[in-house]
Structures are given as structure tokens and as C-alpha cells.
């Protein structure tokens, strides 16, 4: 089933929707012929994770460390690499190459599908983004990459014509999603369903509702979410 922005998925459902047995890496350049996939997950010791800009549609995503495999240094003390010792580009390198190509007008921006981990076994589709820029930041110990992704104006890349297209709204911070999921006990607030859940803005952004507090966000099942969308239109 096609997933839309702010849908909730189990790890299995997430892998299934990408036709993969497992998804182990955070950054997956061109996982699919038409897009890349990023998994965001909040590590407790990282204050800048999941940074959403004030425009409500742009996120910053940190690049990846040098692989721990066969490596007896601390990856957290090393600059994030663009290349492997073999000269092959790392995921950072592949993303940067694509940004440079976009910025010099050679290609369109890479489409990146972003999933976020809400808690163990609970994931949510943050949406489809355009990979538009990156910067190199000194985090106090070393240089890291921060990738800049802007929510794409089309969130219907996988949708076929007969499916309902729901307009994207502003991004809900992962922390807000986590609190809402706990508060609503992983159930639709109307019928108690536990499958095919979605984070819903009670008052839509277009009508002045906010994504930034738990008060305006709730869990709805697919049925109740579609019923609501039908009413708004
Ligand atoms: Zn329901």
C-alpha cells in the first residue's frame, strides 16, 4: 500500500514498502531507480538531529561516519569521509556529487524519501524531499556534513491516479510525534484501530493549525483520516 507523509509503519512495513528484506543503513543513495532513502533516528547524544528550519519544510540531516568495520579508531573522532580508502565514494560522497550536479544545473535535485524512527519498531514517513545543499560543520571535534533537504511540492511520486492525493503540510518534529504516539497509546483516537495509523493535524496548517505542539496533532486510522480529508475538500 502506498504510504503518505506522516503515516505510521512498523519496521517490516517500511522495508516492504521499499521492496527490501532489511534496511540497515541510514543513507541509501538511489535505493530505488527514482529516489534515495534516508532513515532518521534520534540518537540521545545528538542535539542537532532532526533539525527543522523555521520555514517548516526544510530539514538538516547529518552525514555518516567512517565505517567501524576493520577500523580501530573512534569514528566519532574522525572527519566524515567522502571516499573510502579504495577511492569509491561513500554515501556522503554520492549525496554531495548529486548536490553539486544539481547546483551546477546538470541535473534535477535528487528526490529523497525520508523515514523517521519514532520509537523502537515505530516509524513514520516524513515525506519526499529534494536534496538541495550541504555544508561542512565543525562539531567541536571534527568536520561533519549536514545535508539540506526541502519538502518536495509533490508528495505523490508513487501514487497512481485512482488514489487520493493528500496535500502535504508542514513537518511535524519527531519529538512531537513520539509524544503524540505515547499519549494516544498507538491507537486511532476515534475508533481505537491500531493499524494503518497516521499523524493528523486536527486543525490543518492551511487553517492556522500548527505542527509544533502535541495539542494539534493526533492519531487517526486510515479510514478516519480519509473521511476527514473528504470533509475538508
Ligand atoms: Zn479510526
Amino acid at each position: 500500500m502506498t504510504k503518505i507523509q506522516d503515516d505510521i509503519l512498523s519496521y517490516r512495513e517500511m522495508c516492504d514498502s521499499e521492496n527490501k528484506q532489511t534496511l540497515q543503513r541510514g543513507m541509501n543513495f538511489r535505493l530505488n531507480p527514482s529516489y534515495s532513502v534516508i532513515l532518521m533516528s534520534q540518537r540521545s547524544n545528538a542535539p542537532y538531529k532532526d533539525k527543522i528550519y523555521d520555514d517548516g519544510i526544510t530539514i538538516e540531516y547529518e552525514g555518516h561516519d567512517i565505517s567501524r568495520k576493520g577500523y580501530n579508531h573512534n569514528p566519532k573522532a574522525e572527519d566524515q569521509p567522502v571516499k573510502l580508502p579504495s577511492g569509491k565514494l561513500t554515501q556522503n560522497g554520492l549525496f554531495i556529487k548529486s548536490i553539486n550536479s544539481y547546483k551546477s544545473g546538470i541535473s534535477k535535485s535528487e528526490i529523497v524519501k525520508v523515514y523517521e524512527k519514532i520509537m523502537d519498531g515505530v516509524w513514520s514517513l516524513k515525506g519526499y524531499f529534494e536534496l538541495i545543499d550541504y555544508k561542512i560543520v565543525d562539531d567541536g571535534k571534527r568536520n561533519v556534513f549536514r545535508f539540506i533537504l526541502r519538502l518536495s511540492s509533490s508528495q505523490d511520486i508513487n501514487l497512481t491516479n485512482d488514489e487520493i492525493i493528500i496535500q502535504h503540510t508542514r513537518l511535524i518534529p519527531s519529538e512531537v510525534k513520539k509524544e503524540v504516539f505515547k499519549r494516544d497509546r498507538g491507537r486511532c483516537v476515534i475508533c481505537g484501530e491500531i493499524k494503518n495509523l497516521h499523524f493528523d493535524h486536527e486543525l490543518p496548517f492551511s487553517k492556522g493549525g500548527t505542527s509544533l505542539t502535541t495539542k494539534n496533532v493526533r492519531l487517526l486510522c486510515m479510514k478516519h483520516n480519509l473521511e476527514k480529508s473528504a470533509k475538508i475538500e
Side-chain angles (χ1 to χ4, degrees), residues 31 49 82 97 130 150 160 203:
L31 183 72
K49 282 283 169 286
V82 178
K97 189 178 167 195
E130 289 176 38
R150 191 177 48 211
T160 55
L203 182 65

Side-chain angles (χ1 to χ4, degrees), residues 164-182:
I164 294 170
I165 293 168
I166 297 175
Q167 280 277 312
H168 76 76
T169 116
R170 295 304 194 261
L171 297 168
I172 305 172
S174 299
E175 199 47 43
V176 169
K177 287 186 171 178
K178 184 177 171 181
E179 276 181 50
V180 168
F181 192 88
K182 280 188 183 161

Side-chain angles (χ1 to χ4, degrees), residues 12 27 29 37 40 47 59 72 76 80-81 100 112 117 130-131 140 146 157 159 163-164 180 192 198 200 207 212 226:
R12 187 70 262 143
M27 297 171 76
F29 188 76
V37 169
M40 296 181 82
I59 54 174
N72 53 10
K76 291 278 166 216
Q80 291 187 337
N100 289 339
V112 183
K117 187 177 183 179
E130 289 176 38
L131 183 62
R146 299 274 173 77
I157 286 157
L159 296 180
E163 284 178 283
I164 294 170
V180 168
H198 180 85
D200 171 65
K207 295 192 165 60
L212 302 177
L226 290 179

Side-chain angles (χ1 to χ4, degrees), residues 1-5 7 9 17 113 115 125 128 155-160 162-165 196 222:
M1 190 190 327
T2 301
K3 296 294 174 185
I4 60 167
Q5 189 188 351
D7 271 356
L9 307 85
S17 68
K113 198 172 175 183
Y115 291 98
L125 179 60
Y128 288 93
Q155 294 294 310
D156 55 356
I157 286 157
N158 272 342
L159 296 180
T160 55
D162 55 347
E163 284 178 283
I164 294 170
I165 293 168
N196 298 318
M222 187 169 58

Side-chain angles (χ1 to χ4, degrees), residues 188 191 221 224:
C188 170
C191 69
C221 68
H224 285 116

Side-chain angles (χ1 to χ4, degrees), residues 42-205:
Q42 298 168 309
R43 281 174 273 163
S44 52
N45 57 351
Y48 43 72
K49 282 283 169 286
D50 195 14
K51 181 173 175 182
I52 298 177
Y53 286 12
D54 288 342
D55 65 5
I57 57 170
T58 307
I59 54 174
E60 231 181 77
Y61 179 85
E62 192 176 297
H64 276 200
D65 297 338
I66 203 157
S67 165
R68 227 173 254 277
K69 253 184 210 164
Y71 193 72
N72 53 10
H73 302 268
N74 174 13
K76 291 278 166 216
E78 304 278 326
D79 287 351
Q80 291 187 337
V82 178
K83 285 180 182 170
L84 297 170
S86 67
K88 208 177 141 209
L89 292 176
T90 62
Q91 290 291 313
N92 298 326
L94 291 166
F95 277 74
I96 288 168
K97 189 178 167 195
S98 143
I99 292 164
N100 289 339
S101 158
Y102 161 65
K103 286 171 90 175
S104 54
I106 296 166
S107 64
K108 284 210 244 174
S109 57
E110 176 72 7
I111 297 295
V112 183
K113 198 172 175 183
V114 180
Y115 291 98
E116 59 190 328
K117 187 177 183 179
I118 306 302
M119 54 183 80
D120 281 342
V122 182
W123 293 78
S124 177
L125 179 60
K126 207 163 187 74
Y128 288 93
F129 290 75
E130 289 176 38
L131 183 62
I132 54 171
D133 210 350
Y134 75 98
K135 52 188 179 179
I136 301 169
V137 174
D138 180 347
D139 75 351
K141 290 187 209 125
R142 54 160 185 166
N143 288 337
V144 298
F145 296 111
R146 299 274 173 77
F147 293 99
I148 314 295
L149 300 113
R150 191 177 48 211
L151 193 62
S152 171
S153 52
S154 52
Q155 294 294 310
D156 55 356
I157 286 157
N158 272 342
L159 296 180
T160 55
N161 292 334
D162 55 347
E163 284 178 283
I164 294 170
I165 293 168
I166 297 175
Q167 280 277 312
H168 76 76
T169 116
R170 295 304 194 261
L171 297 168
I172 305 172
S174 299
E175 199 47 43
V176 169
K177 287 186 171 178
K178 184 177 171 181
E179 276 181 50
V180 168
F181 192 88
K182 280 188 183 161
R183 183 199 64 204
D184 295 346
R185 294 158 191 247
R187 292 171 180 275
C188 170
V189 295
I190 298 174
C191 69
E193 175 60 58
I194 59 168
K195 282 191 177 156
N196 298 318
L197 296 173
H198 180 85
F199 287 103
D200 171 65
H201 289 85
E202 200 158 348
L203 182 65
F205 179 81

